[in-house]
Amino acid sequence: MADAIAVKGVRAAQAAPPPPAPRRLRNGFAPAVPGLAFLLLCFMLPVLALLLRSLTQPQWGLQNYAALLATSTYANVLFNTFAVAGLVTGISALLGLPLAWFLAVAPRFWSQLVFGIVILSMWTNLLARTYAWMVLLQDTGIINNFLIWTGIIQNPLPLFGTMAGVVIGMVYIMLPFMVLSLRGPLAALDASLFQAASLCGASRVQAFTQVFLPLLAPGLAAGGLIIFVMSLGYYITPSLLGGAQDMMLAELIAQLVQTLLNWGLAGAASFLLLVLTLSLYAVQIRYFSPRRGKEG
Amino acid sequence: MTQAFLELRNIRKNFDSFTAIDGVSLQIPRGEFVTFLGPSGSGKSTTLYVVAGFIEPSAGEVLLNGRSLLGVPPNHRDIGMVFQRYTLFPHLTVAENIAFPLRVRRRPKAEIAAKVDEMLRLVHLSAMRDRKPAQLSGGQQQRVALARALAYDPQILLMDEPLSALDKKLREDLQSEIKRIHAETGVTVIYVTHDQEEALRLSDRIVLFNHGGIEQIGTGEDLYQRPASAFAAGFIGNSNFIDIEVLENRNNIGDVRCPDGSTLSGVPLMGRTQTGKAQIMLRPEHIRLTAEAEGIGGHVTDAAFLGDVMAHTVLTGWGQEIMVRTPRQMFMGPPAGVGDAVRLGFAPADAFLFVPH
């Protein structure tokens, strides 16, 4: 009897007609030709030229890549790049999650006000914002002066020209991307899900780690990926707020091209950056794409 | 009476100026299936959420086995609940959803596996164990939710209109499923619904809520046969209310006058009034259409053949529509059609008398 009903359940589930597949537009290729041609000429060809240079200058071989990974200065730059990108991503997630939570649960007025502030900061000119941080982070800047005035510190903190300054400046720029990525998934959460978890015996911590975080994982992954990838190749903020010891990959490429005229090494560094970015993107598509769960 | 399993003592809940629950007292023995029935806003769901621990009452006491539940957080109350909306965890499979309450209690793996199998068998969903909730129908999701709520052998199972999102056929299937599961597990159930048919079908006892208070407690038959108030009579089953005047009271049996001037003798007054204005309630199945000269006169405005019964609507001389249901075997001759003049006959003893407030 039990089996009969279970089988009936299977049939019922299978009998439900699949939702009609959206009709694909046909002949979509022709209108896309100008755009594709533009990308081919201005993106794909230069990338290939860059790859070629990295393999041929000054001679054929992988010596540029070997130099990039083996020379301690360059390896250091790679490490710095990953460290800054990782820190910026992590801190943005830690700050962005409560902020996005506030946007989801706060009364409409406050939610819209705070969201407006977040968006406004995104729309403000990047250079203006970075210069503002230069002023704030100086040894005699507002932050250090204030901390000394309150007596918390005696000597100014090394904020400007250090990795700390770069991370602060970049978190400020990247935070909105995390908030935007989490806003949708948070708004879609059903409060009764947490009531159910609670009645099931879950403590607040268990409900947070076993229900809340897994449900937000796609949003966190999407926001994290955007921020990590953007941070890997970031140039303006690190070059204005960072110091010589904390050089990042984009700065190195600029220096190699503009000062050292070493196109082969610059090409290798650029190509490395591109490969890193694409592999991270592939990971995100494989594991966190929102479509995956639905197709199951 | 011995100590009740679950007892609510004079529960009140005020939201700002609005009183959601106004002094609810109730005792529920172990293993009983109790339904909170009432219209929306009657306080039935609020009372359920007080038991669950999501709403702190403004006054009163909730006792389980004689111990107060107030101040005990929901995750320590040992109560299972099935919600109106589908609340399965979307990132977990069916089996993982059922295992969730056991996992957070850190039960041994083998015990969890055995219990999940048992629960899947109980709700007849063993074949679905590795599916995600989004791949299940609404009815299947609620069955999984039921399995999840029962997996940890809770003291009480709360159900908050769990079938209201399902269509009628599926709802009836699940009602019998819920009844069977109650019988198999013996768990104490509090079931909230606004659907009187569902309440009658499922419950040992029905608690009828109205305006934040309890209107009547009893079995379905109690509520139907002996409604304590006009509200109870109107909410359970179909009913016709007719304004009347009690002319004379002889030992609690009255002579009354109907709006068309006709009089009836032998209406039980149930100690509710001496003389004066009142209402009588008549069940549609207690009225018959007659061609005799006595009874309330009217003409048929609607006639529908419903298989086992014939349903008529009769417009009386004073302009009130009266519902009449005649069982199939009582049809005498061709049933009355629309426009026919008829008379409504009933036994005075079948009339319930209420005095409107």
Side-chain angles (χ1 to χ4, degrees):
Chain A
M1 179 66 189
D3 284 339
I5 291 181
V7 168
K8 204 173 98 191
V10 174
R11 288 228 188 85
Q14 283 167 348
R23 279 179 54 189
R24 311 285 311 231
L25 292 171
R26 289 177 183 282
N27 303 326
F29 188 71
V33 165
L36 289 174
F38 178 80
L39 283 177
L40 187 72
L41 280 175
C42 302
F43 179 67
M44 291 309 287
L45 285 183
V47 164
L48 286 175
L50 208 59
L51 177 63
L52 212 60
R53 284 195 173 191
S54 73
L55 294 170
T56 56
Q57 285 185 359
Q59 74 233 22
W60 260 104
L62 291 170
Q63 78 279 351
N64 281 323
Y65 291 90
L68 204 57
L69 298 172
T71 317
S72 71
T73 320
Y74 298 148
N76 215 9
V77 168
L78 274 180
F79 173 79
N80 273 341
T81 308
F82 273 89
V84 168
L87 278 171
V88 169
T89 307
I91 296 172
S92 297
L94 286 180
L95 295 178
L97 196 55
L99 194 52
W101 176 259
F102 174 82
L103 290 181
V105 301
R108 201 175 151 76
F109 172 78
W110 289 108
S111 166
Q112 289 196 334
L113 184 73
V114 173
F115 188 62
I117 292 171
V118 170
I119 290 292
L120 197 65
S121 80
M122 265 178 88
W123 287 345
T124 312
N125 183 284
L126 181 63
L127 263 174
R129 287 190 285 164
T130 307
Y131 277 120
W133 275 112
M134 284 172 76
V135 176
L136 293 171
L137 296 172
Q138 301 272 359
D139 283 0
T140 54
I142 294 172
I143 295 172
N144 271 320
N145 277 349
F146 176 76
L147 290 176
I148 291 171
W149 176 74
T150 55
I152 294 170
I153 53 169
Q154 304 302 317
N155 298 310
L157 293 172
L159 295 175
F160 181 66
T162 62
M163 196 193 275
V166 175
V167 170
I168 292 173
M170 282 178 63
V171 164
Y172 165 68
I173 288 159
M174 299 298 175
L175 190 57
F177 294 99
M178 184 57 78
V179 173
L180 286 176
S181 305
L182 290 176
R183 212 166 90 102
L186 266 171
L189 283 186
D190 193 334
S192 50
L193 224 50
F194 298 100
Q195 292 187 332
S198 177
L199 273 183
C200 279
S203 64
R204 279 164 190 270
V205 174
Q206 283 170 322
F208 182 79
T209 57
Q210 297 188 32
V211 178
F212 186 75
L213 278 186
L215 288 177
L216 284 185
L220 277 171
L225 181 86
I226 293 171
I227 293 174
F228 195 80
V229 165
M230 281 173 71
S231 300
L232 281 182
Y234 228 61
Y235 177 68
I236 290 180
T237 308
S239 62
L240 288 181
L241 296 180
Q245 309 93 304
D246 312 302
M247 186 184 277
M248 287 176 69
L249 201 52
E251 292 174 88
L252 176 69
I253 294 168
Q255 203 179 51
L256 287 172
V257 171
Q258 291 169 353
T259 319
L260 304 174
L261 300 176
N262 188 341
W263 282 84
L265 200 54
S270 306
F271 202 70
L272 188 68
L273 189 58
L274 185 65
V275 169
L276 283 172
T277 306
L278 288 178
S279 11
L280 285 169
Y281 184 53
V283 168
Q284 199 256 350
I285 286 183
R286 176 74 185 79
Y287 291 105
F288 293 105
S289 165
R291 278 165 183 248
R292 235 172 59 83
K294 283 173 201 153
E295 285 164 6
Chain B
M1 180 169 173
T2 54
Q3 176 192 304
F5 177 58
L6 177 71
E7 182 173 2
L8 307 185
R9 270 192 207 150
N10 206 17
I11 301 284
R12 303 178 58 87
K13 178 65 191 176
N14 306 309
F15 293 109
D16 297 327
S17 61
F18 168 69
T19 303
I21 316 176
D22 192 6
V24 163
S25 295
L26 181 64
Q27 294 192 332
I28 298 173
R30 183 189 288 274
E32 193 175 47
F33 197 122
V34 176
T35 297
F36 289 0
L37 176 68
S40 58
S42 61
K44 59 190 193 304
S45 279
T46 312
T47 307
L48 192 79
Y49 276 75
V50 165
V51 177
F54 295 124
I55 293 175
E56 201 66 17
S58 312
E61 182 63 282
V62 182
L63 298 166
L64 183 64
N65 284 321
R67 278 204 305 275
S68 176
L69 277 183
L70 299 183
V72 179
N75 56 324
H76 289 140
R77 287 199 178 191
D78 201 19
I79 285 175
M81 183 154 174
V82 178
F83 293 80
Q84 184 171 10
R85 277 179 296 178
Y86 310 138
T87 55
L88 297 180
F89 306 123
H91 59 297
L92 301 179
T93 64
V94 166
E96 287 167 345
N97 262 286
I98 299 173
F100 181 87
L102 303 168
R103 243 184 35 231
V104 299
R105 285 174 169 74
R106 303 187 201 290
R107 297 272 176 83
K109 273 216 169 72
E111 185 195 324
I112 294 179
K115 196 71 193 182
V116 169
D117 286 344
E118 183 194 330
M119 285 300 129
L120 282 169
R121 275 198 305 277
L122 182 71
V123 298
H124 299 325
L125 282 176
S126 298
M128 305 281 167
R129 60 177 305 138
D130 294 322
R131 296 221 184 170
K132 290 279 178 71
Q135 297 167 282
L136 302 180
S137 70
Q140 289 169 335
Q141 287 195 46
Q142 287 302 62
R143 276 151 72 188
V144 177
L146 186 58
R148 183 181 65 184
L150 289 172
Y152 46 104
D153 298 314
Q155 305 248 37
I156 307 170
L157 176 64
L158 308 180
M159 304 183 89
D160 183 18
E161 309 212 20
L163 309 182
S164 57
L166 306 177
D167 62 50
K168 188 169 164 24
K169 176 78 183 69
L170 203 54
R171 208 156 58 217
E172 285 174 6
D173 286 353
L174 267 139
Q175 281 165 3
S176 36
E177 192 109 330
I178 289 168
K179 233 180 149 163
R180 172 182 65 79
I181 288 169
H182 174 245
E184 276 180 35
T185 59
V187 66
T188 309
V189 179
I190 304 180
Y191 192 103
V192 166
T193 183
H194 60 263
D195 179 349
Q196 42 125 343
E197 200 182 311
E198 190 164 278
L200 291 169
R201 193 186 291 263
L202 290 172
S203 335
D204 296 324
R205 272 198 309 164
I206 295 173
V207 180
L208 185 63
F209 277 77
N210 189 26
H211 296 310
I214 293 177
E215 195 83 19
Q216 189 173 0
I217 304 177
T219 64
E221 206 180 338
D222 285 339
L223 267 63
Y224 189 81
Q225 306 281 15
R226 292 172 286 281
S229 61
F231 174 81
F235 203 82
I236 306 271
N238 294 311
S239 41
N240 298 296
F241 287 93
I242 300 172
D243 291 322
I244 50 102
E245 192 178 347
V246 178
L247 301 171
E248 198 161 348
N249 181 348
R250 279 190 298 269
N251 285 335
N252 227 1
I253 302 287
D255 292 350
V256 306
R257 182 164 60 208
C258 292
D260 62 351
S262 63
T263 55
L264 290 166
S265 326
V267 174
L269 299 183
M270 307 165 101
R272 285 185 174 132
T273 188
Q274 289 303 308
T275 54
K277 291 204 181 308
Q279 280 186 322
I280 54 172
M281 186 279 285
L282 285 165
R283 299 288 186 195
E285 67 272 21
H286 288 153
I287 308 176
R288 56 183 197 281
L289 302 180
T290 70
E292 294 157 25
E294 61 203 53
I296 296 167
H299 63 272
V300 175
T301 57
D302 188 39
F305 173 71
L306 299 179
D308 51 342
V309 294
M310 190 80 202
H312 286 97
T313 306
V314 175
L315 191 67
T316 62
W318 64 91
Q320 184 182 359
E321 288 192 329
I322 304 282
M323 291 178 289
V324 181
R325 288 169 83 91
T326 318
R328 191 185 169 86
Q329 61 270 32
M330 301 263 293
F331 293 172
M332 281 174 285
V338 173
D340 290 358
V342 291
R343 286 199 173 268
L344 304 174
F346 54 91
D350 284 336
F352 276 91
L353 185 128
F354 298 106
V355 179
H357 302 297

